[in-house]
Amino acid sequence: ISIQRVALLHPAVIQIFTDFITAAENGLGVTFRVVQGLRTFAQQQAIYNQGRTTPGAIVTNAPPGESFHNYGLAVDVAHLIDNGTEIDWHFDMSQLTQFMPSSMVWGGSWIHIVDKPHFEVVFGNTWQQLLEKHNAGDFIANTTFVNL
């Protein structure tokens, strides 16, 4: 499942995230699951609505276009236990930072909204820059991914 989700990311980060997760699993002797990778604008709207206009708790403050998931540049990772049948949401995700390439940012290091399962590689782009490219149709040929 994780491999399938990573394969759907922006082509510029597929190998980066594959190597990162492999190194973390091998280095820590555990198994991780990419629980979220690429998220469409429609999917982002649905989770943004949660706790606002639809039932449930608020899970994001990012409307469509404001999440790096929308550009295939971010993943949310969880630790699997019980032979891969359960997720351990209490696992200390800071342990993964030792396997991160210098281009990667961990959401657990953020000050205002700490997002411990979140890892991203954005190549110096802000979400505003990526949204501008998206709205202008600045895509890699034959894909829905913006040019970085």
Side-chain angles (χ1 to χ4, degrees):
I1 292 172
S2 293
I3 292 168
Q4 293 168 346
R5 290 178 179 155
V6 169
L8 296 174
L9 296 173
H10 191 290
V13 300
I14 291 173
Q15 194 62 54
I16 294 169
F17 280 114
T18 299
D19 292 348
F20 164 63
I21 292 165
T22 300
E25 286 182 335
N26 291 339
L28 297 172
V30 298
T31 302
F32 293 103
R33 166 71 43 87
V34 173
V35 293
Q36 186 80 162
L38 177 65
R39 196 182 297 144
T40 67
F41 280 42
Q43 291 168 327
Q44 188 71 31
Q45 185 67 58
I47 66 167
Y48 181 76
N49 290 347
Q50 188 176 317
R52 292 179 175 85
T53 59
T54 62
I58 290 175
V59 294
T60 185
N61 290 320
E66 293 186 15
S67 170
F68 288 112
H69 286 283
N70 300 149
Y71 307 99
L73 300 174
V75 296
D76 293 333
V77 178
H79 172 232
L80 289 179
I81 56 174
D82 296 330
N83 293 321
T85 61
E86 298 289 329
I87 291 177
D88 174 13
W89 290 110
H90 302 291
F91 184 83
D92 179 8
M93 298 303 280
S94 69
Q95 295 180 66
L96 278 74
T97 60
Q98 64 187 305
F99 304 100
M100 289 177 13
S102 60
S103 59
M104 190 173 287
V105 173
W106 175 46
S109 66
W110 297 341
I111 296 169
H112 298 292
I113 301 172
V114 176
D115 189 357
K116 292 181 180 179
H118 183 93
F119 296 84
E120 63 187 36
V121 179
V122 301
F123 303 99
N125 290 285
T126 65
W127 67 260
Q128 293 93 335
Q129 291 168 318
L130 294 170
L131 182 58
E132 185 177 314
K133 291 178 182 192
H134 178 273
N135 290 340
D138 185 7
F139 299 111
I140 297 172
N142 303 314
T143 75
T144 58
F145 295 109
V146 298
N147 280 304
L148 299 172

